[in-house]
Amino acid sequence: MGHRVSVTDFIRLSLELNLFFLRIMKEHSLFLEAGFLPNDSNLARQADQFKERFNDLLRQTVSLANGNVSSVVLSSGEVVTDKTLRAEQKTIELSGIPIDTELTLEELELMPGSPDPSLETAVANLNQQAIALTQELIRFKTRILNQVLNCTLFTFNFPLLIDHIRREAILFVEQLQRLQRREQVNLTQEIIAEKAFWDRIMKEHAQFISHLLDPTEVALINTADEFADLFTLLQNKVQRIDENIIARLLLGCLIREETRATREIRDFKATATEGLLACQIRSIIIPLLGDHVLREANHFLRILTNPRSLL
């Protein structure tokens, strides 16, 4: 503990975090926008403004990131996948909500490389803007969640989904703030924390998929429910890991089990997203949501298979 992140690691880690999470935040804004009824057109408008502002920050990130991030992250499928562009195009067609697909094409062209130390100030400024905007989005999500729970607002987004995307925004801010302090993580503690966080997220993804599928999609619903049970189990295991030596030895075993489960849910999400795009699945899942949860599984998988990429 107490180690400081080097300038080049600060640049790389910041840009990688922003590449992943700014797109996630932009899409959360879109999912919120798409879920409102005509009565709440003012909320839909606010959500659309968030989407555009996150898009602007992501555009800045993409131009800074080219040649300054690792191949591990670019090849993980957490920034964009081979389905992102198609999922965006179909979502535009179905929702009428505009999405900057040019930026997606630029992201697909990103090249890895060693970070340029002269970018430190620009990256620190980007982080600060991302923190401020994400904190605004957290307040917006909190307000919406409270209104839904008070029955003063109806949206087609589950209360759990709003709570879920709020937690992801809070994690993003915490991780950015830690980078701004140039704090290096304790790898074991960080992996345990990431595992605890993403286990819950993966479990909830499976629950959302199960509940957004048409009731006739029995086989897919059963598979989604099995994934929800599996990640509940894995989530309970991590809570029993503490700082003692035996637990540390168990961590390796746990990570192998975790990696297998995450790879399986990732493959399920990839297949389901293709199924949605090919119009072979009956559901109320907007196509971009399929690709969105796929990228989150890819992000978790990268952390599990390349833990040193967190340093």
Side-chain angles (χ1 to χ4, degrees):
M1 285 303 286
H3 286 297
R4 281 174 67 78
V5 173
S6 70
V7 170
T8 50
D9 285 342
F10 166 73
I11 292 165
R12 173 181 60 82
L13 290 166
S14 297
L15 291 172
E16 289 171 352
L17 191 66
N18 281 306
L19 277 177
F20 172 66
F21 266 119
L22 288 173
R23 174 175 272 279
I24 295 294
M25 295 302 127
K26 171 177 91 157
E27 291 169 352
H28 286 171
S29 307
L30 183 143
F31 301 146
L32 289 171
E33 180 179 358
F36 293 123
L37 290 174
N39 205 15
D40 298 297
S41 57
N42 60 321
L43 289 176
R45 208 168 26 252
Q46 285 177 60
D48 194 74
Q49 283 163 357
F50 275 116
K51 180 197 64 154
E52 291 304 320
R53 289 165 72 195
F54 276 109
N55 194 70
D56 291 345
L57 281 186
L58 183 58
R59 186 166 274 292
Q60 280 182 50
T61 305
V62 169
S63 70
L64 287 167
N66 202 28
N68 293 296
V69 289
S70 67
S71 56
V72 167
V73 165
L74 290 183
S75 62
S76 66
E78 69 185 82
V79 177
V80 271
T81 73
D82 59 349
K83 305 172 193 3
T84 307
L85 190 62
R86 285 178 292 144
E88 286 184 329
Q89 287 163 339
K90 190 64 184 169
T91 298
I92 295 167
E93 183 192 314
L94 293 172
S95 69
I97 299 170
I99 302 171
D100 183 357
T101 54
E102 283 299 311
L103 188 52
T104 310
L105 292 169
E106 285 176 39
E107 286 182 285
L108 286 163
E109 298 294 313
L110 279 171
M111 298 301 288
S114 302
D116 172 359
S118 71
L119 295 177
E120 184 180 10
T121 307
V123 170
N125 288 341
L126 173 74
N127 287 351
Q128 219 38 59
Q129 288 180 74
I131 288 167
L133 183 56
T134 307
Q135 285 173 330
E136 263 188 75
L137 183 65
I138 291 166
R139 290 193 288 274
F140 183 63
K141 288 169 173 172
T142 305
R143 198 163 76 244
I144 290 166
L145 179 61
N146 289 337
Q147 287 181 273
V148 169
L149 295 177
N150 294 336
C151 302
T152 54
L153 170 68
F154 179 86
T155 163
F156 283 101
N157 288 309
F158 295 127
L160 180 63
L161 186 129
I162 304 166
D163 177 50
H164 171 104
I165 65 176
R166 186 174 164 271
R167 271 181 269 125
E168 289 179 1
I170 292 167
L171 177 76
F172 180 34
V173 168
E174 286 169 355
Q175 293 189 342
L176 280 175
Q177 286 172 332
R178 184 169 65 197
L179 279 168
Q180 290 294 70
R181 294 191 299 268
R182 308 293 197 274
E183 259 175 51
Q184 195 174 59
V185 299
N186 170 313
L187 202 52
T188 307
Q189 284 172 348
E190 184 57 21
I191 285 180
I192 291 170
E194 292 270 4
K195 175 176 156 30
F197 182 87
W198 291 105
D199 273 343
R200 181 175 180 185
I201 295 291
M202 295 299 128
K203 172 190 79 177
E204 290 171 352
H205 284 170
Q207 292 171 328
F208 298 143
I209 292 167
S210 171
H211 287 72
L212 292 167
L213 286 163
D214 190 74
T216 58
E217 293 283 7
V218 179
L220 285 174
I221 291 169
N222 289 340
T223 305
D225 288 342
E226 283 165 17
F227 276 118
D229 292 343
L230 174 60
F231 278 96
T232 303
L233 212 70
L234 290 167
Q235 198 187 349
N236 293 337
K237 280 189 182 177
V238 78
Q239 284 160 355
R240 294 198 295 270
I241 280 228
D242 49 30
E243 287 297 289
N244 68 48
I245 301 294
I246 298 163
R248 292 289 182 89
L249 295 173
L250 286 174
L251 187 62
C253 263
L254 211 51
I255 285 177
R256 278 193 294 279
E257 192 180 9
E258 190 76 46
T259 306
R260 191 165 56 243
T262 305
R263 200 167 267 130
E264 283 171 10
I265 199 169
R266 190 269 316 268
D267 294 346
F268 172 65
K269 288 169 173 176
T271 307
T273 304
E274 285 294 350
L276 288 168
L277 290 170
C279 196
Q280 290 165 347
I281 294 173
R282 295 181 183 203
S283 79
I284 50 169
I285 301 171
I286 202 158
L288 191 54
L289 182 59
D291 189 65
H292 178 97
V293 298
L294 170 59
R295 271 179 270 120
E296 290 186 1
N298 284 335
H299 174 73
F300 185 28
L301 201 53
R302 185 261 298 178
I303 290 168
L304 290 168
T305 53
N306 277 289
R308 299 204 68 77
S309 64
L310 296 169
L311 293 174

